PDB file of all heavy atoms in Angstrom:
ATOM      1  N   PRO A 158      35.460 115.586  86.083  1.00 92.00           N
ATOM      2  CA  PRO A 158      34.981 116.944  86.385  1.00 92.00           C
ATOM      3  C   PRO A 158      33.799 116.962  87.353  1.00 92.00           C
ATOM      4  O   PRO A 158      33.562 117.958  88.030  1.00 92.00           O
ATOM      5  CB  PRO A 158      34.560 117.493  85.014  1.00 92.00           C
ATOM      6  CG  PRO A 158      35.231 116.624  84.018  1.00 92.00           C
ATOM      7  CD  PRO A 158      35.407 115.272  84.661  1.00 92.00           C
ATOM      8  N   GLU A 159      33.055 115.856  87.445  1.00 94.00           N
ATOM      9  CA  GLU A 159      31.872 115.822  88.321  1.00 94.00           C
ATOM     10  C   GLU A 159      32.236 115.454  89.760  1.00 94.00           C
ATOM     11  O   GLU A 159      31.357 115.422  90.644  1.00 94.00           O
ATOM     12  CB  GLU A 159      30.843 114.820  87.779  1.00 94.00           C
ATOM     13  CG  GLU A 159      31.135 113.339  88.037  1.00 94.00           C
ATOM     14  CD  GLU A 159      32.238 112.738  87.148  1.00 94.00           C
ATOM     15  OE1 GLU A 159      32.923 113.495  86.429  1.00 94.00           O
ATOM     16  OE2 GLU A 159      32.422 111.502  87.189  1.00 94.00           O
ATOM     17  N   ALA A 160      33.503 115.191  90.028  1.00 93.00           N
ATOM     18  CA  ALA A 160      33.900 114.678  91.352  1.00 93.00           C
ATOM     19  C   ALA A 160      33.695 115.726  92.446  1.00 93.00           C
ATOM     20  O   ALA A 160      33.819 116.934  92.199  1.00 93.00           O
ATOM     21  CB  ALA A 160      35.362 114.234  91.309  1.00 93.00           C
ATOM     22  N   ARG A 161      33.378 115.272  93.667  1.00 94.00           N
ATOM     23  CA  ARG A 161      33.285 116.171  94.832  1.00 94.00           C
ATOM     24  C   ARG A 161      34.672 116.380  95.415  1.00 94.00           C
ATOM     25  O   ARG A 161      35.444 115.432  95.521  1.00 94.00           O
ATOM     26  CB  ARG A 161      32.362 115.558  95.891  1.00 94.00           C
ATOM     27  CG  ARG A 161      30.886 115.739  95.575  1.00 94.00           C
ATOM     28  CD  ARG A 161      30.019 115.158  96.672  1.00 94.00           C
ATOM     29  NE  ARG A 161      30.072 113.700  96.672  1.00 94.00           N
ATOM     30  CZ  ARG A 161      30.380 112.954  97.722  1.00 94.00           C
ATOM     31  NH1 ARG A 161      30.666 113.519  98.875  1.00 94.00           N
ATOM     32  NH2 ARG A 161      30.405 111.643  97.639  1.00 94.00           N
ATOM     33  N   GLY A 162      34.964 117.601  95.830  1.00 92.00           N
ATOM     34  CA  GLY A 162      36.311 117.921  96.305  1.00 92.00           C
ATOM     35  C   GLY A 162      36.416 118.083  97.804  1.00 92.00           C
ATOM     36  O   GLY A 162      37.407 118.657  98.285  1.00 92.00           O
ATOM     37  N   GLY A 163      35.421 117.593  98.561  1.00 94.00           N
ATOM     38  CA  GLY A 163      35.507 117.679 100.009  1.00 94.00           C
ATOM     39  C   GLY A 163      35.723 119.112 100.471  1.00 94.00           C
ATOM     40  O   GLY A 163      35.070 120.032  99.975  1.00 94.00           O
ATOM     41  N   PHE A 164      36.648 119.282 101.404  1.00 92.00           N
ATOM     42  CA  PHE A 164      36.892 120.636 101.925  1.00 92.00           C
ATOM     43  C   PHE A 164      37.746 121.477 100.971  1.00 92.00           C
ATOM     44  O   PHE A 164      37.985 122.656 101.218  1.00 92.00           O
ATOM     45  CB  PHE A 164      37.545 120.576 103.313  1.00 92.00           C
ATOM     46  CG  PHE A 164      38.887 119.881 103.346  1.00 92.00           C
ATOM     47  CD1 PHE A 164      40.052 120.586 103.081  1.00 92.00           C
ATOM     48  CD2 PHE A 164      38.978 118.536 103.643  1.00 92.00           C
ATOM     49  CE1 PHE A 164      41.282 119.957 103.116  1.00 92.00           C
ATOM     50  CE2 PHE A 164      40.207 117.896 103.686  1.00 92.00           C
ATOM     51  CZ  PHE A 164      41.360 118.608 103.411  1.00 92.00           C
ATOM     52  N   VAL A 165      38.197 120.885  99.865  1.00 89.00           N
ATOM     53  CA  VAL A 165      38.999 121.632  98.886  1.00 89.00           C
ATOM     54  C   VAL A 165      38.133 121.850  97.650  1.00 89.00           C
ATOM     55  O   VAL A 165      38.214 121.113  96.680  1.00 89.00           O
ATOM     56  CB  VAL A 165      40.279 120.858  98.504  1.00 89.00           C
ATOM     57  CG1 VAL A 165      41.232 121.762  97.743  1.00 89.00           C
ATOM     58  CG2 VAL A 165      40.954 120.287  99.725  1.00 89.00           C
ATOM     59  N   ASP A 166      37.254 122.842  97.709  1.00 80.00           N
ATOM     60  CA  ASP A 166      36.224 122.949  96.670  1.00 80.00           C
ATOM     61  C   ASP A 166      36.552 123.978  95.599  1.00 80.00           C
ATOM     62  O   ASP A 166      35.676 124.533  94.965  1.00 80.00           O
ATOM     63  CB  ASP A 166      34.869 123.267  97.302  1.00 80.00           C
ATOM     64  CG  ASP A 166      34.929 124.552  98.110  1.00 80.00           C
ATOM     65  OD1 ASP A 166      36.026 125.134  98.183  1.00 80.00           O
ATOM     66  OD2 ASP A 166      33.895 124.965  98.655  1.00 80.00           O
ATOM     67  N   GLY A 167      37.831 124.251  95.374  1.00 83.00           N
ATOM     68  CA  GLY A 167      38.222 125.177  94.313  1.00 83.00           C
ATOM     69  C   GLY A 167      39.583 125.749  94.625  1.00 83.00           C
ATOM     70  O   GLY A 167      40.115 125.539  95.715  1.00 83.00           O
ATOM     71  N   PRO A 168      40.156 126.471  93.663  1.00 84.00           N
ATOM     72  CA  PRO A 168      41.489 127.027  93.912  1.00 84.00           C
ATOM     73  C   PRO A 168      41.445 128.070  95.021  1.00 84.00           C
ATOM     74  O   PRO A 168      40.412 128.727  95.216  1.00 84.00           O
ATOM     75  CB  PRO A 168      41.883 127.664  92.572  1.00 84.00           C
ATOM     76  CG  PRO A 168      40.620 127.834  91.832  1.00 84.00           C
ATOM     77  CD  PRO A 168      39.640 126.824  92.341  1.00 84.00           C
ATOM     78  N   PRO A 169      42.535 128.219  95.768  1.00 84.00           N
ATOM     79  CA  PRO A 169      42.543 129.222  96.837  1.00 84.00           C
ATOM     80  C   PRO A 169      42.516 130.626  96.244  1.00 84.00           C
ATOM     81  O   PRO A 169      42.920 130.826  95.095  1.00 84.00           O
ATOM     82  CB  PRO A 169      43.883 128.967  97.555  1.00 84.00           C
ATOM     83  CG  PRO A 169      44.722 128.236  96.556  1.00 84.00           C
ATOM     84  CD  PRO A 169      43.809 127.504  95.639  1.00 84.00           C
TER      85      PRO A 169
END
Side-chain angles (χ1 to χ4, degrees):
E159 77 285 9
R161 281 182 289 126
F164 61 87
V165 192
D166 58 358

